[in-house]
């Protein structure tokens, strides 16, 4: 089990953090939270989808090239990165919340490329396989993320956000105590 902290401690630690990783299911709000945290904390925001994983036309970046791009990015002094790829490192946002997020995102951006997505990858209707991945995220993907956190950063503070309200409380806490 990762070293878990509460919202208050996470807020305190985030103000001086140089590296922040936001992981979770598609539709959970990773990119929205990461962008808001990046702005409040003055950290460069790296979206795994936009920066590393996708080429125009929904072509997957070759794995070795993706890993090289990620390695170069994490070597930088400061960043916040979002993505749900356990192989490169919310674990429990409710399924219906995530599915609703995917649907809302699809309607809001249909036919257009989202700001957190690679150029040339317009939003499209989620297919059965993608919806199945979202539905089964906690069973299939979250355990791998937890194992990777334990193996690669057993003493790295981890905040598990279980609702959009909790994410909002974290953002409010950081905003209330932003450095002068």
């Amino acid at each position: 089990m990762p070293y878990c902290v509460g919202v208050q401690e996470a807020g305190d630690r985030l103000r001086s953090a140089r590296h922040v990783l936001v992981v979770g299911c598609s539709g959970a709000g990773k990119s929205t939270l990461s962008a808001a945290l990046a702005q409040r904390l003055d950290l460069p925001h790296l979206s795994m989808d936009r920066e590393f994983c996708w080429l125009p036309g929904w072509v997957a970046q070759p794995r070795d090239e993706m890993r090289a791009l990620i390695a170069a990015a994490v070597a930088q002094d400061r960043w916040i990165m979002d993505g749900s790829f356990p192989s490169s490192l919310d674990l429990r946002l409710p399924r219906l919340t995530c599915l609703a997020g995917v649907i809302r995102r699809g309607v809001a951006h249909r036919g257009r490329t989202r700001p957190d997505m690679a150029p040339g990858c317009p939003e499209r209707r989620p297919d059965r396989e993608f919806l199945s991945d979202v539905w089964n995220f906690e069973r299939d993907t979250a355990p791998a993320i937890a194992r990777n956190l334990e193996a690669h950063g057993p003493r790295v503070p981890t905040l598990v956000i279980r609702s959009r309200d909790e994410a909002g409380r974290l953002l409010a806490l950081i905003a209330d105590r932003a450095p002068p």
Side-chain angles (χ1 to χ4, degrees):
M1 179 61 140
Y3 167 52
C4 292
V5 299
V7 172
Q8 182 72 43
E9 183 177 346
D12 292 342
R13 288 176 176 262
L14 280 170
R15 278 188 279 290
S16 62
R18 292 182 13 250
H19 303 120
V20 178
L21 182 60
V22 178
V23 296
C25 184
S26 293
K30 296 179 305 296
S31 296
T32 301
L33 177 61
S34 296
L37 285 170
Q39 181 180 17
R40 284 171 174 79
L41 300 170
D42 193 30
L43 289 171
H45 175 217
L46 302 171
S47 166
M48 289 189 75
D49 284 336
R50 182 184 62 229
E51 310 290 336
F52 313 122
C53 298
W54 297 104
L55 298 171
W58 291 100
V59 174
Q61 182 82 258
R63 183 175 168 80
D64 58 338
E65 291 177 35
M66 179 176 77
R67 292 189 61 79
L69 290 169
I70 292 170
V74 300
Q76 299 301 310
D77 185 48
R78 303 174 69 245
W79 47 261
I80 183 167
M81 185 181 302
D82 67 69
S84 57
F85 300 90
S87 63
S88 64
L89 255 187
D90 178 309
L91 296 178
R92 291 178 167 43
L93 248 172
R95 297 175 194 188
L96 293 176
T97 301
C98 296
L99 286 173
V102 165
I103 292 167
R104 227 181 355 264
R105 178 175 77 192
V107 169
H109 298 283
R110 179 145 184 148
R112 297 186 329 265
T113 302
R114 299 187 323 259
D116 57 309
M117 184 51 70
C121 295
E123 193 68 18
R124 53 190 179 189
R125 177 185 289 168
D127 61 16
R128 184 181 181 104
E129 180 181 356
F130 181 67
L131 293 173
S132 177
D133 287 345
V134 171
W135 186 258
N136 295 309
F137 179 85
E138 188 168 339
R139 182 193 73 198
D140 297 344
T141 306
I145 292 171
R147 282 191 306 275
N148 281 321
L149 287 171
E150 184 62 32
H152 299 289
R155 297 304 301 161
V156 173
T158 303
L159 172 63
V160 178
I161 297 174
R162 291 185 174 86
S163 70
R164 297 195 193 288
D165 287 343
E166 278 187 344
R169 283 196 298 279
L170 176 65
L171 291 172
L173 179 67
I174 291 170
D176 289 346
R177 293 198 184 157

